[in-house]
Amino acid sequence: MMPIWTKSGEKRAVTLLKVQDCHVLRYVSKEESGGKTAKLLVGGKNVSPFSKPESAHEIFKEAGVPRKQKVTTFNVTDDAIIKPGTPLYAAHFRPGQFVDVTAKTIGKGFQGVMKRWGFKGQPASHGQTKTHRRPGAISTNKAAKVYRGKKMPGKMGNIYRTSFGLKVWRINTKHDIIYVNGSVPGHTNCLVKVRDSKLPTYKDCNKNPPFPTFFADGDEELPEDLFDEEIFQFTDPSVTFA
Amino acid sequence: RVSSDGKPPKFQPPPKPVIIDRKTQKEERRFLSPEFIPPRGRTAPLKYYIERKDMIQRRKVLNIPEFYVGHVLAVTTADPFASDKSKRFVGICIQRGGKGLGATFVLRNVIEEQGVEICYELYSPRIQAIEVLKLEKRLDENLTYLRDALPEYSTFDVNMRPVPRMAHEEIPVNKLQVRMKPKPWSKRWERPKYNIKGIKFELPEHKMKAAQKWSQPWLEFDMLREYDTSKIEAKIRKELSEELEK
């Protein structure tokens, strides 16, 4: 995470996400998958092929791509279908866009009810016998049972969570890095899934994105850094208020 | 000269001249701002490389001088609410914290008998100028104890003239021992964990001895705490010198 400054001098915190060897692996049509839209399987981050059996390498061999650590699905409309084997770059996103980021949260292990669910516990003194961090009562007398989904101690973290509506401030095309506003679930260097935001407020925010994706061998030549309009670029002189 | 054998003495070639390369020696001692050195952690080095590129860009526009804790600085920032739209603050640098773009330094001064501390971010775009008024290092790297010292040690004239630097060589170390206000202090500065050498403790002997109870003499031998930055520093210095010359 890094600080960036707007043109008016306000500081924002930003997370850096690197797009590392992402390739489209397979196209699954609407009828095949049984869903409402077609799906594209995308894999990211190359990994050694020797730790898995040959049967697991079929998808990668069809696409002509080394074995990837993670394979995810993206629901895609019919006009945005990409040929399997095309690489995906950070320039697929543009500054000013809004994005949802999904990742596995940091695993905290088996945790008690105070840390996991934010219960208040019991006082430290005034006669409490061996009860300081316990849940207390778990149901009423009339119910005569404990409801399903009762908040109790258990394994916390290491589940998929999404942060919605994060603004993209800057894109580095040379190193394939996306600067995304705020924080993102997961530990440093963990695998993360970035999608266009599904929030209704940001439905019309995406003007002229590279559709279906940014092709590196195309005619378009992008500068090394793409900035949002409001961001303060370090090549400019210091901010002054007129 | 006659040797013992009666033969002429053996030809002794003159001693080879020892070349002291002053330039390389000077470069080794040059200052590297502490926020360039990446902390120990599991972050990918690419992130620090990209941050450094941004820091170098900013340094090309705004000249950030070499300064340590104990220097007296004057910082001009842009302020939308001031009449001149800019604000100048003079103070002694108490501490330098943070790494990368978020590096900060705290300036302290006593204005009209009220102690004021302002924490500035080195790379914030609001800063318009940083001038070093007085160059002197102190005995410690953290002067936070000035909050509990007598106010005369933290007062600096707002209209102070910059003291000219003598030669481009060592920065003088001020071995000033500061006198403190009566206890209680904000932190127990006599304890060995703060390792403060710049205070003249006027506490009784038994209290100073009692404070040594909290000493941790094994800490300096702890090998897991060692962080050797010499190679990283050399690489970063090379990178910096190349980029700043462009």
Side-chain angles (χ1 to χ4, degrees):
Chain A
M1 285 194 71
M2 216 166 79
I4 52 155
W5 286 271
T6 53
K7 286 212 159 110
S8 52
E10 288 159 12
K11 183 164 112 158
R12 300 283 153 88
V14 139
T15 315
L16 308 192
L17 306 175
K18 173 147 171 102
V19 178
Q20 198 165 358
D21 319 313
C22 287
H23 286 91
V24 176
L25 297 177
R26 193 197 276 175
Y27 159 67
V28 177
S29 64
K30 196 159 70 170
E31 296 80 38
E32 247 180 277
S33 62
K36 291 184 191 171
T37 48
K39 293 202 212 289
L40 278 182
L41 287 183
V42 170
K45 194 170 169 195
N46 291 344
V47 137
S48 141
F50 301 117
S51 42
K52 286 283 177 190
E54 287 289 326
S55 50
H57 292 311
E58 272 180 38
I59 314 177
F60 306 111
K61 277 192 187 154
E62 279 169 44
V65 137
R67 188 186 140 227
K68 304 288 182 186
Q69 186 171 346
K70 186 91 190 133
V71 176
T72 48
T73 45
F74 287 90
N75 289 341
V76 154
T77 45
D78 283 324
D79 52 352
I81 299 169
I82 310 175
K83 186 179 170 187
T86 41
L88 300 172
Y89 299 100
H92 177 100
F93 295 102
R94 287 297 148 93
Q97 236 184 316
F98 287 84
V99 135
D100 295 340
V101 177
T102 316
K104 268 199 174 177
T105 49
I106 299 178
K108 316 260 175 182
F110 195 100
Q111 287 299 337
V113 111
M114 273 178 87
K115 192 180 188 72
R116 196 178 183 211
W117 300 112
F119 283 15
K120 282 181 81 176
Q122 288 83 27
S125 68
H126 287 302
Q128 312 290 324
T129 38
K130 307 201 286 186
T131 324
H132 305 289
R133 299 183 69 94
R134 299 181 77 189
I138 54 177
S139 189
T140 50
N141 184 23
K142 199 170 176 195
K145 67 169 188 172
V146 175
Y147 295 117
R148 184 180 322 194
K150 174 84 195 71
K151 292 180 180 177
M152 284 188 162
K155 291 253 162 60
M156 179 181 168
N158 202 25
I159 45 172
Y160 283 104
R161 282 289 188 255
T162 318
S163 324
F164 295 100
L166 303 178
K167 182 168 174 180
V168 171
W169 283 106
R170 179 177 161 181
I171 300 225
N172 187 319
T173 35
K174 188 174 163 201
H175 297 278
D176 277 331
I177 299 184
I178 310 174
Y179 290 58
V180 145
N181 191 31
S183 61
V184 140
H187 56 88
T188 34
N189 305 333
C190 78
L191 284 166
V192 130
K193 178 177 175 181
V194 182
R195 282 172 297 160
D196 296 323
S197 193
K198 72 167 206 313
L199 295 180
T201 32
Y202 303 128
K203 225 178 359 179
D204 306 315
C205 260
N206 218 354
K207 289 154 198 168
N208 302 328
F211 198 79
T213 189
F214 172 74
F215 295 104
D217 49 350
D219 299 329
E220 211 184 336
E221 278 220 23
L222 288 177
E224 191 189 324
D225 272 306
L226 292 165
F227 295 92
D228 185 49
E229 297 150 347
E230 282 179 23
I231 222 185
F232 170 79
Q233 303 186 26
F234 289 112
T235 40
D236 302 334
S238 304
V239 159
T240 37
F241 298 100
Chain B
R1 269 173 245 151
V2 181
S3 67
S4 49
D5 292 0
K7 292 178 195 164
K10 198 176 171 187
F11 170 67
Q12 297 279 343
K16 276 196 177 157
V18 178
I19 303 169
I20 306 168
D21 205 353
R22 290 260 161 81
K23 270 191 186 165
T24 46
Q25 274 189 4
K26 263 194 190 161
E27 271 174 48
E28 280 161 22
R29 259 184 296 165
R30 224 174 58 191
F31 173 71
L32 179 67
S33 211
E35 71 264 6
F36 279 105
I37 302 165
R40 258 197 333 186
R42 295 166 70 169
T43 330
L46 178 68
K47 186 239 178 187
Y48 297 122
Y49 171 69
I50 289 194
E51 238 185 328
R52 252 176 282 141
K53 274 205 310 199
D54 277 338
M55 284 149 80
I56 292 168
Q57 266 302 325
R58 176 73 182 150
R59 278 186 181 239
K60 285 186 185 169
V61 174
L62 170 75
N63 171 40
I64 298 176
E66 165 188 348
F67 71 98
Y68 300 83
V69 167
H71 284 208
V72 179
L73 305 178
V75 174
T76 345
T77 39
D79 189 7
F81 308 112
S83 47
D84 279 337
K85 302 296 172 197
S86 74
K87 197 163 62 168
R88 186 183 138 107
F89 185 73
V90 172
I92 185 171
C93 177
I94 293 188
Q95 68 181 50
R96 286 185 78 162
K99 297 281 179 198
L101 277 174
T104 55
F105 62 100
V106 180
L107 292 185
R108 180 184 165 82
N109 203 344
V110 171
I111 298 175
E112 290 176 19
E113 293 168 41
Q114 172 64 49
V116 176
E117 283 184 18
I118 303 188
C119 177
Y120 289 106
E121 286 154 9
L122 270 178
Y123 295 98
S124 164
R126 280 212 184 145
I127 293 187
Q128 282 155 355
I130 306 180
E131 305 142 31
V132 177
L133 296 178
K134 196 170 176 197
L135 279 150
E136 64 174 15
K137 272 200 212 183
R138 293 285 189 99
L139 291 166
D140 311 298
E141 279 183 5
N142 203 314
L143 294 179
T144 358
Y145 57 80
L146 285 179
R147 293 171 193 156
D148 298 317
L150 297 170
E152 62 193 28
Y153 295 101
S154 318
T155 28
F156 293 94
D157 182 24
V158 182
N159 303 316
M160 196 161 91
R161 290 279 183 82
V163 167
R165 193 170 173 187
M166 292 299 130
H168 282 268
E169 284 290 345
E170 289 146 43
I171 297 172
V173 178
N174 188 359
K175 301 201 175 159
L176 175 68
Q177 298 257 310
V178 152
R179 288 187 60 208
M180 305 292 276
K181 289 194 244 181
K183 268 202 164 191
W185 297 330
S186 59
K187 297 238 154 74
R188 295 172 213 248
W189 302 112
E190 72 274 12
R191 293 223 175 145
K193 87 170 190 189
Y194 297 108
N195 195 20
I196 291 180
K197 296 164 195 151
I199 298 184
K200 188 171 183 180
F201 290 109
E202 279 148 10
L203 298 170
E205 270 289 330
H206 67 270
K207 288 218 167 160
M208 295 299 291
K209 263 195 169 176
Q212 291 301 317
K213 249 200 314 188
W214 279 270
S215 68
Q216 295 169 309
W218 57 85
L219 266 189
E220 59 174 314
F221 303 108
D222 195 343
M223 291 174 78
L224 284 181
R225 275 172 205 263
E226 284 168 8
Y227 183 38
D228 187 20
T229 47
S230 46
K231 289 186 188 163
I232 305 172
E233 268 185 49
K235 259 198 234 172
I236 295 176
R237 254 185 245 267
K238 213 169 124 185
E239 209 185 296
L240 271 185
S241 52
E242 277 167 32
E243 289 286 326
L244 282 171
E245 270 159 38
K246 278 189 195 171

PDB file of all heavy atoms in Angstrom, chain A residues 8-9 32 34 69 78 89-90 95 104 115 127 134 143-144 173 176 201 227 231-232:
ATOM      1  N   SER A   8      -5.655  18.716  -5.133  1.00  0.00           N
ATOM      2  CA  SER A   8      -5.898  19.696  -4.074  1.00  0.00           C
ATOM      3  C   SER A   8      -5.051  19.420  -2.845  1.00  0.00           C
ATOM      4  O   SER A   8      -5.189  20.099  -1.840  1.00  0.00           O
ATOM      5  CB  SER A   8      -7.383  19.672  -3.709  1.00  0.00           C
ATOM      6  OG  SER A   8      -7.764  18.343  -3.438  1.00  0.00           O
ATOM      7  N   GLY A   9      -4.161  18.427  -2.881  1.00  0.00           N
ATOM      8  CA  GLY A   9      -3.254  18.190  -1.759  1.00  0.00           C
ATOM      9  C   GLY A   9      -3.751  17.191  -0.730  1.00  0.00           C
ATOM     10  O   GLY A   9      -3.112  16.987   0.287  1.00  0.00           O
ATOM     11  N   GLU A  32     -23.485 -24.802 -22.277  1.00  0.00           N
ATOM     12  CA  GLU A  32     -22.607 -25.761 -21.610  1.00  0.00           C
ATOM     13  C   GLU A  32     -22.594 -25.549 -20.103  1.00  0.00           C
ATOM     14  O   GLU A  32     -22.676 -26.477 -19.318  1.00  0.00           O
ATOM     15  CB  GLU A  32     -21.167 -25.554 -22.113  1.00  0.00           C
ATOM     16  CG  GLU A  32     -20.605 -26.684 -22.930  1.00  0.00           C
ATOM     17  CD  GLU A  32     -19.181 -26.357 -23.351  1.00  0.00           C
ATOM     18  OE1 GLU A  32     -19.005 -25.641 -24.359  1.00  0.00           O
ATOM     19  OE2 GLU A  32     -18.264 -26.790 -22.647  1.00  0.00           O
ATOM     20  N   GLY A  34     -24.751 -23.808 -18.294  1.00  0.00           N
ATOM     21  CA  GLY A  34     -26.075 -23.842 -17.672  1.00  0.00           C
ATOM     22  C   GLY A  34     -26.408 -22.567 -16.931  1.00  0.00           C
ATOM     23  O   GLY A  34     -27.342 -22.534 -16.138  1.00  0.00           O
ATOM     24  N   GLN A  69      -1.247 -20.919 -11.166  1.00  0.00           N
ATOM     25  CA  GLN A  69      -1.559 -21.261  -9.785  1.00  0.00           C
ATOM     26  C   GLN A  69      -3.057 -21.215  -9.512  1.00  0.00           C
ATOM     27  O   GLN A  69      -3.578 -21.999  -8.744  1.00  0.00           O
ATOM     28  CB  GLN A  69      -0.843 -20.283  -8.845  1.00  0.00           C
ATOM     29  CG  GLN A  69      -0.989 -20.662  -7.401  1.00  0.00           C
ATOM     30  CD  GLN A  69      -0.111 -19.818  -6.508  1.00  0.00           C
ATOM     31  OE1 GLN A  69       0.790 -19.131  -6.964  1.00  0.00           O
ATOM     32  NE2 GLN A  69      -0.392 -19.856  -5.232  1.00  0.00           N
ATOM     33  N   ASP A  78     -21.817 -12.149 -24.755  1.00  0.00           N
ATOM     34  CA  ASP A  78     -21.362 -12.824 -25.980  1.00  0.00           C
ATOM     35  C   ASP A  78     -20.440 -11.973 -26.829  1.00  0.00           C
ATOM     36  O   ASP A  78     -19.612 -12.489 -27.570  1.00  0.00           O
ATOM     37  CB  ASP A  78     -22.578 -13.232 -26.823  1.00  0.00           C
ATOM     38  CG  ASP A  78     -23.249 -14.464 -26.235  1.00  0.00           C
ATOM     39  OD1 ASP A  78     -22.509 -15.328 -25.730  1.00  0.00           O
ATOM     40  OD2 ASP A  78     -24.496 -14.550 -26.274  1.00  0.00           O
ATOM     41  N   TYR A  89      -3.586  -7.992 -19.809  1.00  0.00           N
ATOM     42  CA  TYR A  89      -2.656  -7.036 -19.210  1.00  0.00           C
ATOM     43  C   TYR A  89      -3.376  -6.062 -18.291  1.00  0.00           C
ATOM     44  O   TYR A  89      -4.606  -5.978 -18.289  1.00  0.00           O
ATOM     45  CB  TYR A  89      -1.930  -6.248 -20.308  1.00  0.00           C
ATOM     46  CG  TYR A  89      -1.116  -7.121 -21.222  1.00  0.00           C
ATOM     47  CD1 TYR A  89      -1.601  -7.502 -22.466  1.00  0.00           C
ATOM     48  CD2 TYR A  89       0.132  -7.589 -20.825  1.00  0.00           C
ATOM     49  CE1 TYR A  89      -0.859  -8.308 -23.289  1.00  0.00           C
ATOM     50  CE2 TYR A  89       0.874  -8.397 -21.653  1.00  0.00           C
ATOM     51  CZ  TYR A  89       0.386  -8.755 -22.886  1.00  0.00           C
ATOM     52  OH  TYR A  89       1.127  -9.560 -23.705  1.00  0.00           O
ATOM     53  N   ALA A  90      -2.579  -5.288 -17.552  1.00  0.00           N
ATOM     54  CA  ALA A  90      -3.179  -4.299 -16.642  1.00  0.00           C
ATOM     55  C   ALA A  90      -3.887  -3.205 -17.433  1.00  0.00           C
ATOM     56  O   ALA A  90      -4.796  -2.568 -16.927  1.00  0.00           O
ATOM     57  CB  ALA A  90      -2.099  -3.678 -15.758  1.00  0.00           C
ATOM     58  N   PRO A  95      -7.662   4.309 -15.714  1.00  0.00           N
ATOM     59  CA  PRO A  95      -7.870   5.148 -14.526  1.00  0.00           C
ATOM     60  C   PRO A  95      -9.231   5.817 -14.574  1.00  0.00           C
ATOM     61  O   PRO A  95      -9.687   6.248 -15.623  1.00  0.00           O
ATOM     62  CB  PRO A  95      -6.754   6.186 -14.620  1.00  0.00           C
ATOM     63  CG  PRO A  95      -5.777   5.631 -15.555  1.00  0.00           C
ATOM     64  CD  PRO A  95      -6.506   4.723 -16.481  1.00  0.00           C
ATOM     65  N   LYS A 104      -8.925 -14.124  -0.742  1.00  0.00           N
ATOM     66  CA  LYS A 104      -9.105 -14.862   0.518  1.00  0.00           C
ATOM     67  C   LYS A 104      -8.529 -14.022   1.640  1.00  0.00           C
ATOM     68  O   LYS A 104      -7.374 -13.606   1.584  1.00  0.00           O
ATOM     69  CB  LYS A 104      -8.342 -16.193   0.438  1.00  0.00           C
ATOM     70  CG  LYS A 104      -9.156 -17.337  -0.052  1.00  0.00           C
ATOM     71  CD  LYS A 104      -8.511 -18.668   0.317  1.00  0.00           C
ATOM     72  CE  LYS A 104      -9.423 -19.805  -0.058  1.00  0.00           C
ATOM     73  NZ  LYS A 104      -8.842 -21.099   0.194  1.00  0.00           N
ATOM     74  N   LYS A 115     -13.205 -12.001  19.308  1.00  0.00           N
ATOM     75  CA  LYS A 115     -12.460 -11.541  18.144  1.00  0.00           C
ATOM     76  C   LYS A 115     -13.249 -11.835  16.879  1.00  0.00           C
ATOM     77  O   LYS A 115     -13.291 -11.042  15.954  1.00  0.00           O
ATOM     78  CB  LYS A 115     -11.116 -12.270  18.093  1.00  0.00           C
ATOM     79  CG  LYS A 115     -10.162 -11.664  17.093  1.00  0.00           C
ATOM     80  CD  LYS A 115      -8.866 -12.435  17.117  1.00  0.00           C
ATOM     81  CE  LYS A 115      -7.796 -11.808  16.295  1.00  0.00           C
ATOM     82  NZ  LYS A 115      -7.246 -10.591  16.841  1.00  0.00           N
ATOM     83  N   GLY A 127     -16.110 -10.024  40.915  1.00  0.00           N
ATOM     84  CA  GLY A 127     -16.669 -11.340  41.235  1.00  0.00           C
ATOM     85  C   GLY A 127     -16.828 -12.285  40.076  1.00  0.00           C
ATOM     86  O   GLY A 127     -17.362 -13.365  40.250  1.00  0.00           O
ATOM     87  N   ARG A 134     -16.251 -15.223  27.403  1.00  0.00           N
ATOM     88  CA  ARG A 134     -17.151 -16.284  26.950  1.00  0.00           C
ATOM     89  C   ARG A 134     -18.392 -15.671  26.323  1.00  0.00           C
ATOM     90  O   ARG A 134     -18.717 -14.511  26.576  1.00  0.00           O
ATOM     91  CB  ARG A 134     -17.514 -17.170  28.128  1.00  0.00           C
ATOM     92  CG  ARG A 134     -16.252 -17.822  28.692  1.00  0.00           C
ATOM     93  CD  ARG A 134     -16.549 -18.719  29.824  1.00  0.00           C
ATOM     94  NE  ARG A 134     -17.094 -19.979  29.361  1.00  0.00           N
ATOM     95  CZ  ARG A 134     -17.602 -20.896  30.179  1.00  0.00           C
ATOM     96  NH1 ARG A 134     -17.665 -20.675  31.471  1.00  0.00           N
ATOM     97  NH2 ARG A 134     -18.069 -22.026  29.710  1.00  0.00           N
ATOM     98  N   ALA A 143     -37.306 -21.106  23.225  1.00  0.00           N
ATOM     99  CA  ALA A 143     -36.886 -21.714  21.957  1.00  0.00           C
ATOM    100  C   ALA A 143     -36.553 -23.188  22.141  1.00  0.00           C
ATOM    101  O   ALA A 143     -36.804 -23.996  21.259  1.00  0.00           O
ATOM    102  CB  ALA A 143     -35.674 -20.964  21.401  1.00  0.00           C
ATOM    103  N   ALA A 144     -35.971 -23.539  23.273  1.00  0.00           N
ATOM    104  CA  ALA A 144     -35.618 -24.929  23.623  1.00  0.00           C
ATOM    105  C   ALA A 144     -34.657 -25.545  22.622  1.00  0.00           C
ATOM    106  O   ALA A 144     -34.585 -26.751  22.453  1.00  0.00           O
ATOM    107  CB  ALA A 144     -36.872 -25.790  23.753  1.00  0.00           C
ATOM    108  N   THR A 173       1.785   0.469 -17.318  1.00  0.00           N
ATOM    109  CA  THR A 173       1.714  -0.543 -18.373  1.00  0.00           C
ATOM    110  C   THR A 173       3.017  -1.316 -18.493  1.00  0.00           C
ATOM    111  O   THR A 173       3.023  -2.441 -18.970  1.00  0.00           O
ATOM    112  CB  THR A 173       1.423   0.125 -19.722  1.00  0.00           C
ATOM    113  OG1 THR A 173       2.088   1.393 -19.746  1.00  0.00           O
ATOM    114  CG2 THR A 173      -0.045   0.345 -19.918  1.00  0.00           C
ATOM    115  N   ASP A 176       2.760  -3.703 -15.476  1.00  0.00           N
ATOM    116  CA  ASP A 176       1.410  -4.267 -15.304  1.00  0.00           C
ATOM    117  C   ASP A 176       0.912  -4.126 -13.877  1.00  0.00           C
ATOM    118  O   ASP A 176       0.614  -5.115 -13.210  1.00  0.00           O
ATOM    119  CB  ASP A 176       1.393  -5.761 -15.688  1.00  0.00           C
ATOM    120  CG  ASP A 176       1.245  -5.939 -17.184  1.00  0.00           C
ATOM    121  OD1 ASP A 176       0.647  -5.068 -17.826  1.00  0.00           O
ATOM    122  OD2 ASP A 176       1.728  -6.955 -17.691  1.00  0.00           O
ATOM    123  N   THR A 201     -24.297   2.595  -8.703  1.00  0.00           N
ATOM    124  CA  THR A 201     -23.814   3.984  -8.831  1.00  0.00           C
ATOM    125  C   THR A 201     -22.709   4.093  -9.873  1.00  0.00           C
ATOM    126  O   THR A 201     -22.504   5.147 -10.469  1.00  0.00           O
ATOM    127  CB  THR A 201     -23.224   4.494  -7.504  1.00  0.00           C
ATOM    128  OG1 THR A 201     -22.635   3.392  -6.827  1.00  0.00           O
ATOM    129  CG2 THR A 201     -24.272   5.138  -6.640  1.00  0.00           C
ATOM    130  N   PHE A 227      -2.527   8.093 -15.738  1.00  0.00           N
ATOM    131  CA  PHE A 227      -2.992   8.699 -14.494  1.00  0.00           C
ATOM    132  C   PHE A 227      -4.443   9.114 -14.612  1.00  0.00           C
ATOM    133  O   PHE A 227      -4.920   9.482 -15.675  1.00  0.00           O
ATOM    134  CB  PHE A 227      -2.158   9.941 -14.158  1.00  0.00           C
ATOM    135  CG  PHE A 227      -0.723   9.644 -13.854  1.00  0.00           C
ATOM    136  CD1 PHE A 227       0.223   9.683 -14.853  1.00  0.00           C
ATOM    137  CD2 PHE A 227      -0.330   9.311 -12.568  1.00  0.00           C
ATOM    138  CE1 PHE A 227       1.550   9.404 -14.575  1.00  0.00           C
ATOM    139  CE2 PHE A 227       0.986   9.045 -12.284  1.00  0.00           C
ATOM    140  CZ  PHE A 227       1.939   9.088 -13.298  1.00  0.00           C
ATOM    141  N   ILE A 231      -5.379  13.003  -9.970  1.00  0.00           N
ATOM    142  CA  ILE A 231      -4.177  12.602  -9.228  1.00  0.00           C
ATOM    143  C   ILE A 231      -3.081  13.640  -9.420  1.00  0.00           C
ATOM    144  O   ILE A 231      -2.980  14.276 -10.476  1.00  0.00           O
ATOM    145  CB  ILE A 231      -3.718  11.220  -9.742  1.00  0.00           C
ATOM    146  CG1 ILE A 231      -3.292  10.337  -8.600  1.00  0.00           C
ATOM    147  CG2 ILE A 231      -2.627  11.291 -10.719  1.00  0.00           C
ATOM    148  CD1 ILE A 231      -2.725   9.049  -9.061  1.00  0.00           C
ATOM    149  N   PHE A 232      -2.264  13.854  -8.378  1.00  0.00           N
ATOM    150  CA  PHE A 232      -1.127  14.760  -8.476  1.00  0.00           C
ATOM    151  C   PHE A 232       0.058  13.976  -9.016  1.00  0.00           C
ATOM    152  O   PHE A 232       0.518  13.028  -8.405  1.00  0.00           O
ATOM    153  CB  PHE A 232      -0.788  15.345  -7.099  1.00  0.00           C
ATOM    154  CG  PHE A 232       0.508  16.091  -7.081  1.00  0.00           C
ATOM    155  CD1 PHE A 232       0.581  17.374  -7.568  1.00  0.00           C
ATOM    156  CD2 PHE A 232       1.662  15.503  -6.583  1.00  0.00           C
ATOM    157  CE1 PHE A 232       1.774  18.064  -7.558  1.00  0.00           C
ATOM    158  CE2 PHE A 232       2.856  16.180  -6.564  1.00  0.00           C
ATOM    159  CZ  PHE A 232       2.922  17.466  -7.054  1.00  0.00           C
TER     160      PHE A 232
END
